[in-house]
Amino acid sequence: MNPELLLSRIRVVLCRPSHPGNIGAAARAMKTMGLSRLYLVEPKQFPDPEADTRATGAVDVLANATVVRSLGEALAGASFAVALSARQRDIGPVLGAPRETVARLLAEAAEGEVALVFGNETVGLSNEEILHCQAAVTIPTNPDFSSLNLGSAVQVLCYECRMAAFAGLPPTAQLTTPFASPAATNDEVEGLYTHLERVMTDTGFFNPEQPGRLLPKLRRLFGRVRLERDEINILRGILASTQAKTGHGRKN
Amino acid sequence: MNPELLLSRIRVVLCRPSHPGNIGAAARAMKTMGLSRLYLVEPKQFPDPEADTRATGAVDVLANATVVRSLGEALAGASFAVALSARQRDIGPVLGAPRETVARLLAEAAEGEVALVFGNETVGLSNEEILHCQAAVTIPTNPDFSSLNLGSAVQVLCYECRMAAFAGLPPTAQLTTPFASPAATNDEVEGLYTHLERVMTDTGFFNPEQPGRLLPKLRRLFGRVRLERDEINILRGILASTQAKTGHGRKN
């Protein structure tokens, strides 16, 4: 299924958010990853200028947000919901890892509407709210400081959604680039080695009678780099300029 | 290697951040994922109460942050740096995807100090800054709204670092061949560039008054190769031998 369409089926539900700045940050996080459907369950302050500021160019997500009075309302019509939780509850779905849980969310999104559900900044989701969800996810954190910001948590899970939705598609043009100049051929690279060896011999840095491992080491170095033709020309230009300076150029 | 130890070797470098709130958000994002070493290159405002507020319980990361005047200083002693960039530059490392690039970062962290480098909120990293880095990464975003918040970008990449560090797979060996000698540090590589520039200037191959794109091209070449310390020594030995021959050696 079209990745954009999949992402458009994911609701982000914030339950009782305290800080309007976090609502704005969540909207921005969603939009950067191609999600757009924000649900707010009893936000403390909304709309609010601080939300708009933090949303920057994602104010349309705020403008289109749906404000409701319960999680049940936010999930109306959705067939699968994942709760974010920092800890396993006695009762409720088993906490999964982000990547696996998001993969499942997207598989469900192919069938219908789905949701990612986030709790209040301080107290998280209630046990009752978690039980509205079919799955739960935790974002692994430093055990000594697990205080993930709400906007950041939304960012991480929306990022995983985008990565999963576009997985398997050929990477976009910006992820692979052609060489700036054509790759050097084997004989061009050999020409560089010969030239380098001559200069090193002329300066006395290399002694052909006691070669040691110098030449293999240089081959190992330049062999790793996948030289381009232009680069061969630059390197040989540098070598030729030292030869001209030392009067060895004519030997070339 | 112990995942916490690996994470402790990752520096987060923010270049010229404009908003102190983002510095605080970055510190919090880092600490939730177990990273602690923040470097700030010419921050517009720091320290600042807004940074402390947004950091919440991660004010220790701010208190221990290192403020420097150039990216080169921030990378001193590090052997591998990844630049975050929204777009491929004409010159500079090929943009990788987050997961693969972070896997490589962690493999390098097993060998020494590494860094994640972030640019200014509005203008990103300069081309010159990107050329200080051996790899580049882009976070896939919605093409219609790619305005990822700086703190969110730090969160996503630190999250990937934690996921990779704890993935249970030994990050080394499979991703990079073991180094024959330790990876060169950033300052050792910079020393090579300085030396090379001096020799090229002495021979007349490089004209500092009309620099063109020669130096960036050489940075691009050697940035790709991930030089080892022994290799730096060999290359500088070759350079010194040409200087001795031309009578320029004493300047060195």
Side-chain angles (χ1 to χ4, degrees):
Chain A
M1 185 179 278
N2 177 315
E4 278 93 359
L5 180 56
L6 273 182
L7 294 174
S8 76
R9 289 185 173 180
I10 306 172
R11 306 175 188 183
V12 170
V13 183
L14 306 185
C15 293
R16 293 162 284 106
S18 301
H19 303 295
N22 285 333
I23 301 176
R28 180 173 177 179
M30 290 168 61
K31 191 170 176 183
T32 57
M33 296 297 145
L35 282 75
S36 54
R37 299 174 57 201
L38 178 61
Y39 286 71
L40 302 171
V41 180
E42 295 200 316
K44 191 169 173 193
Q45 247 173 284
F46 185 83
D48 187 277
E50 175 67 8
D52 291 349
T53 303
R54 290 283 294 281
T56 67
V59 283
D60 57 318
V61 173
L62 295 181
N64 294 323
T66 307
V67 180
V68 294
R69 286 191 300 178
S70 70
L71 178 56
E73 279 181 67
L75 297 180
S79 54
F80 185 76
V82 174
L84 178 73
S85 179
R87 61 186 196 284
Q88 180 66 52
R89 315 295 174 106
D90 294 343
I91 199 163
V94 171
L95 281 185
R99 210 152 290 162
E100 293 69 29
T101 311
V102 163
R104 189 172 163 207
L105 183 81
L106 286 197
E108 296 282 350
E111 309 292 325
E113 298 275 317
V114 301
L116 281 170
V117 181
F118 299 82
N120 169 269
E121 291 92 334
T122 311
V123 299
L125 290 167
S126 69
N127 287 337
E128 196 210 329
E129 285 167 333
I130 295 229
L131 286 171
H132 270 82
C133 301
Q134 288 74 37
V137 64
T138 193
I139 299 175
T141 52
N142 174 0
D144 297 329
F145 184 69
S146 59
S147 164
L148 197 64
N149 167 259
L150 175 56
S152 290
V154 172
Q155 184 73 66
V156 165
L157 291 184
C158 290
Y159 159 78
E160 285 286 10
C161 287
R162 187 172 191 86
M163 294 299 282
F166 283 86
L169 293 181
T172 55
Q174 67 176 6
L175 292 180
T176 55
T177 52
F179 281 163
S181 100
T185 61
N186 183 67
D187 35 313
E188 287 165 336
V189 178
E190 290 300 320
L192 170 67
Y193 292 142
T194 305
H195 199 165
L196 188 54
E197 183 179 339
R198 191 180 312 135
V199 169
M200 292 190 305
T201 306
D202 288 344
T203 65
F205 186 77
F206 176 67
N207 178 356
E209 318 234 318
Q210 293 186 318
R213 304 191 70 194
L214 181 59
L215 300 181
K217 282 180 176 175
L218 286 166
R219 281 182 177 269
R220 177 167 167 273
L221 191 174
F222 289 109
R224 290 209 306 282
V225 78
R226 294 282 293 113
L227 287 164
E228 301 172 11
R229 183 166 304 152
D230 281 0
E231 292 173 335
I232 297 269
N233 290 338
I234 290 173
L235 294 173
R236 295 198 61 172
I238 297 171
L239 292 171
S241 75
T242 69
Q243 290 179 297
K245 195 80 179 175
T246 58
H248 282 287
R250 267 169 244 120
K251 276 196 197 171
N252 204 9
Chain B
M1 184 178 280
N2 177 314
E4 277 94 359
L5 180 56
L6 273 182
L7 294 174
S8 76
R9 290 185 174 182
I10 306 172
R11 305 175 188 185
V12 170
V13 183
L14 307 185
C15 293
R16 292 163 284 104
S18 302
H19 303 296
N22 285 333
I23 301 175
R28 180 173 177 178
M30 288 167 63
K31 190 169 177 183
T32 57
M33 296 298 145
L35 282 75
S36 54
R37 300 175 56 202
L38 178 61
Y39 285 71
L40 302 171
V41 180
E42 296 201 313
K44 192 171 174 193
Q45 247 171 286
F46 183 81
D48 189 276
E50 175 67 8
D52 293 347
T53 303
R54 290 283 293 281
T56 67
V59 283
D60 57 320
V61 174
L62 294 182
N64 294 322
T66 306
V67 179
V68 293
R69 284 190 303 176
S70 70
L71 178 56
E73 282 181 65
L75 297 180
S79 55
F80 185 75
V82 174
L84 178 72
S85 180
R87 61 186 196 287
Q88 179 67 47
R89 314 295 173 106
D90 294 345
I91 203 160
V94 172
L95 281 184
R99 210 152 291 161
E100 291 71 27
T101 311
V102 163
R104 188 171 164 209
L105 183 82
L106 287 196
E108 297 282 350
E111 309 290 327
E113 298 274 317
V114 301
L116 282 170
V117 181
F118 299 83
N120 168 269
E121 291 90 335
T122 310
V123 300
L125 291 167
S126 69
N127 287 336
E128 198 210 326
E129 285 166 334
I130 294 224
L131 285 171
H132 271 82
C133 302
Q134 288 74 36
V137 63
T138 193
I139 299 176
T141 52
N142 174 0
D144 298 329
F145 184 69
S146 58
S147 163
L148 199 62
N149 168 258
L150 174 56
S152 291
V154 172
Q155 184 73 67
V156 165
L157 291 184
C158 290
Y159 159 77
E160 285 286 8
C161 287
R162 186 171 191 87
M163 295 298 284
F166 283 88
L169 301 170
T172 40
Q174 57 193 10
L175 296 163
T176 54
T177 46
F179 282 156
S181 100
T185 62
N186 182 69
D187 25 318
E188 288 165 337
V189 178
E190 291 298 319
L192 170 67
Y193 292 141
T194 306
H195 199 164
L196 188 54
E197 183 178 341
R198 193 179 311 134
V199 169
M200 293 190 304
T201 307
D202 288 344
T203 66
F205 186 76
F206 175 66
N207 178 357
E209 319 238 315
Q210 294 186 318
R213 304 192 75 190
L214 180 60
L215 299 181
K217 282 179 174 175
L218 286 166
R219 279 181 178 271
R220 177 168 168 272
L221 190 173
F222 288 109
R224 291 208 307 281
V225 80
R226 295 288 297 107
L227 287 163
E228 301 171 12
R229 184 165 303 152
D230 281 0
E231 292 173 336
I232 296 267
N233 291 338
I234 291 173
L235 293 172
R236 293 198 63 170
I238 297 172
L239 291 171
S241 74
T242 70
Q243 289 179 299
K245 197 78 181 177
T246 58
H248 282 288
R250 264 168 248 121
K251 277 195 193 169
N252 203 10

